[in-house]
Amino acid sequence: MIALALLAAAGQPQLRIVAEPPASVAAAEAGVTVFVLNEGTSEAEATPAPMEVVTADQVPLRIVPVDAAAARVAPGGFRAVRYRIAPVAVAASSTPAAPKGETVVGTARGQASGLLDRFEPHEPIYGAFGLGSDGAKLQVSLAFRPFDGAGALDGVRLAWTQTMFWAIDRSSGPFRSTNYSPEVYYQRQVDDRIVAAAGYTHDSNGRDAGSIDVNRLFASASYVVPIGNDWRIEATPKLWTYVGTGYRDLDRYWGNMSLGGAIGQVDGLRIAASLRNPLGSHRAGELYVSYPLARTGIYLFGQAFAGYGEAIDDYALRTSSARLGVSFTR
């Protein structure tokens, strides 16, 4: 969230403009809602002006008000103002704009390239370490937009999450379990605060002997509410059903839903939690706490788990753990 103090003189109307960053450029094209808050003790007049925002996938945008007429805001009240992406002046041309090309990076192994602007964060990427048998937990997760900017297909996502449990308390330091979770789903910005998705996910321990795998169809949504001073709260329910075979009695432990929530500040503290199978007897909860380390691009990261099935190999085992480390997304 971006907040801009417009007037802060003592005893005078104090106005703030608060804009929730859109999830992507495509979401911003549908419009951005900006709130004008009057934190003073007298009525004030606000004239909407152009401003800068950065999308959730880190694309800077300049937005302008749809209606630039002044609005009066009561003390302690707010007004919602609709914004849109500022038009960009370009030379007239009969040739359509070329699609974004690949990014080329020079490395010690030679040049590497890819459509890097199409990747986005998915689950947190982190390495966290605990004491004793808690060991270390490492996770890599990314989503990819294969049809970026292609109209209705723009919402298609391919995602991969790999979670590894490293037994650093043992002399040989083996990876005792690994969860593999590929996904394909369709995601859409419903309005300024709601993003919804539906799709397919596969979870597996990646083994031949002793294989455990589960296939699910899911629907999920996130609802974000700004609460001032760059803080926001989120609610993220998710529902799923099982398809195919091979998952044994795992459905008894994972159930058919999860509830998530978070409170956090952009460039500040974030606390997120999720509860799986909240209506069943085999529940599992996970907590994430993160804080950015200056402008290093790294977050100080804490992770804790309690319940059944932290690793898919242990789906029928009740465990608890706590770890501390760093993350690169959150």
Side-chain angles (χ1 to χ4, degrees):
M1 197 163 41
I2 296 175
L4 175 62
L6 297 182
L7 182 61
Q12 297 295 322
Q14 182 175 324
L15 297 179
R16 282 197 308 122
I17 289 183
V18 180
E20 182 68 20
S24 63
V25 175
E29 288 174 348
V32 178
T33 298
V34 174
F35 295 94
V36 181
L37 311 177
N38 184 355
E39 298 178 337
T41 57
S42 60
E43 188 177 64
E45 185 174 90
T47 301
M51 61 188 299
E52 306 289 334
V53 296
V54 178
T55 67
D57 51 4
Q58 302 304 303
V59 178
L61 291 176
R62 181 173 176 79
I63 58 175
V64 295
V66 174
D67 183 357
R72 301 199 67 81
V73 186
F78 71 91
R79 292 289 296 271
V81 181
R82 195 69 173 171
Y83 273 65
R84 59 183 175 83
I85 298 176
V88 178
V90 296
S93 172
S94 59
T95 304
K100 293 181 180 178
E102 63 180 3
T103 301
V104 180
V105 180
T107 74
R109 298 178 60 185
Q111 287 192 335
S113 60
L115 299 173
L116 303 185
D117 63 304
R118 298 193 181 192
F119 284 92
E120 62 189 30
H122 191 52
E123 298 291 338
I125 298 176
Y126 66 89
F129 302 82
L131 300 175
S133 60
D134 287 354
K137 187 175 181 180
L138 313 176
Q139 182 166 281
V140 177
S141 182
L142 286 172
F144 180 71
R145 305 185 301 274
F147 307 111
D148 190 37
L153 291 177
D154 182 70
V156 176
R157 300 289 190 275
L158 305 176
W160 176 271
T161 302
Q162 184 169 323
T163 309
M164 297 150 282
F165 296 85
W166 187 8
I168 57 176
D169 58 314
R170 302 180 191 175
S171 57
S172 59
F175 283 87
R176 65 174 185 83
S177 184
T178 300
N179 293 357
Y180 302 91
S181 302
E183 299 177 56
V184 57
Y185 58 95
Y186 188 85
Q187 177 174 290
R188 220 47 174 161
Q189 183 94 20
V190 178
D191 62 23
D192 293 330
R193 297 185 178 183
I194 300 175
V195 179
Y200 162 81
T201 181
H202 172 82
D203 297 281
S204 170
N205 61 358
R207 298 180 184 176
D208 186 4
S211 172
I212 302 174
D213 64 88
V214 58
N215 299 290
R216 294 178 290 165
L217 300 178
F218 72 86
S220 63
S222 68
Y223 181 71
V224 181
V225 180
I227 56 177
N229 293 326
D230 286 351
W231 285 86
R232 57 188 178 184
I233 56 175
E234 304 173 31
T236 53
K238 183 176 182 179
L239 301 172
W240 60 80
T241 186
Y242 300 88
V243 294
T245 60
Y247 56 87
R248 307 181 186 181
D249 59 344
L250 185 145
D251 57 323
R252 292 178 49 209
Y253 294 88
W254 280 15
N256 292 91
M257 70 178 298
S258 68
L259 299 174
I263 181 169
Q265 186 179 35
V266 176
D267 291 325
L269 178 68
R270 175 179 168 86
I271 302 172
S274 65
L275 179 63
R276 188 177 64 208
N277 196 15
L279 304 180
S281 57
H282 301 98
R283 289 180 286 273
E286 191 158 25
L287 175 71
Y288 299 125
V289 180
S290 57
Y291 190 82
L293 297 174
R295 297 189 177 276
T296 61
I298 298 174
Y299 302 91
L300 180 64
F301 187 83
Q303 177 268 334
F305 178 90
Y308 290 86
E310 183 175 20
I312 195 170
D313 287 313
D314 304 327
Y315 72 87
L317 180 65
R318 182 177 177 84
T319 61
S320 62
S321 59
R323 305 176 180 92
L324 182 67
V326 297
S327 70
F328 303 96
T329 65
R330 60 175 181 167

